[in-house]
Amino acid sequence: MVSRILVALDRSQTSHHIFQAALVLAQVYSARLMLLHVLSSQSSDSPPDPRMMSLGIEGQLSVDWVKSYHQQWEKYEQESLELLKTFEEQALQGGIETELTQTYGNPGHTICNLAQSWDADLVVMGRRDRSNLTEWFLGSVSNYVIHHAACSVYLVHS
């Protein structure tokens, strides 16, 4: 039986499809939703990591650049949280018991750890259609979760 569904979301267009799939599953099973966004400098939509940018600036970062980075990061956090709240409101309007969390960390590890600690029966998440070579070099959050989650995983393709 599925009573708890962890929904891993990012800020991509696919997140809307992921959320809709999770919402349908929650309605079918009368399940609770946990909406999760993991803040990571490795995300494709996060601000660039200043440690990586320093390589082209003779090993040093300007104070203005660091301030700009922090402002970008705060905006990224706030916009991500607002997206989660929008999804939460839609689920609550549909009569689905829902909570949300936004946290820092490695996305794959964080999803698996939260799925276990929250006692999720199912993880719903997206999968980017990367080539095998790209996935081998960059890794894949969905591949990690499939192999390490303590529950079933439902993938929504981009």
Side-chain angles (χ1 to χ4, degrees):
M1 169 124 178
V2 175
S3 63
R4 291 173 164 248
I5 301 172
L6 174 63
V7 189
L9 300 161
D10 59 15
R11 294 176 18 160
S12 68
Q13 277 301 111
T14 307
S15 283
H16 295 278
H17 301 294
I18 295 165
F19 173 72
Q20 290 302 320
L23 192 58
V24 167
L25 290 167
Q27 290 168 336
V28 167
Y29 291 110
S30 298
R32 269 177 94 164
L33 291 179
M34 167 65 79
L35 307 178
L36 168 66
H37 179 250
V38 180
L39 296 164
S40 169
S41 61
Q42 299 159 355
S43 297
S44 60
D45 62 343
S46 69
D49 188 331
R51 293 169 296 185
M52 301 306 285
M53 300 302 287
S54 69
L55 299 176
I57 312 174
E58 299 177 12
Q60 293 191 359
L61 295 173
S62 73
V63 172
D64 290 338
W65 199 94
V66 172
K67 285 180 183 177
S68 173
Y69 170 77
H70 284 289
Q71 289 171 345
Q72 290 174 23
W73 188 263
E74 287 175 5
K75 181 179 177 189
Y76 168 68
E77 283 183 68
Q78 188 59 39
E79 289 174 353
S80 300
L81 188 58
E82 290 302 319
L83 181 62
L84 279 181
K85 288 179 180 179
T86 300
F87 288 142
E88 179 186 38
E89 185 61 34
Q90 289 176 32
L92 292 171
Q93 287 176 357
I96 303 299
E97 191 175 337
T98 306
E99 51 190 296
L100 63 85
T101 188
Q102 178 167 270
T103 188
Y104 298 95
N106 174 291
H109 294 130
T110 302
I111 292 166
C112 290
N113 290 340
L114 183 57
Q116 186 167 8
S117 66
W118 190 64
D119 201 24
D121 301 303
L122 180 65
V123 173
V124 177
M125 64 184 299
R127 179 184 188 280
R128 296 190 199 332
D129 294 321
R130 291 183 170 160
S131 70
N132 287 338
L133 186 59
T134 303
E135 191 166 300
W136 187 77
F137 277 112
L138 299 177
S140 163
V141 174
S142 59
N143 189 41
Y144 181 88
V145 173
I146 287 169
H147 290 94
H148 294 91
C151 62
S152 297
V153 179
Y154 180 90
L155 294 180
V156 177
H157 289 268
S158 60

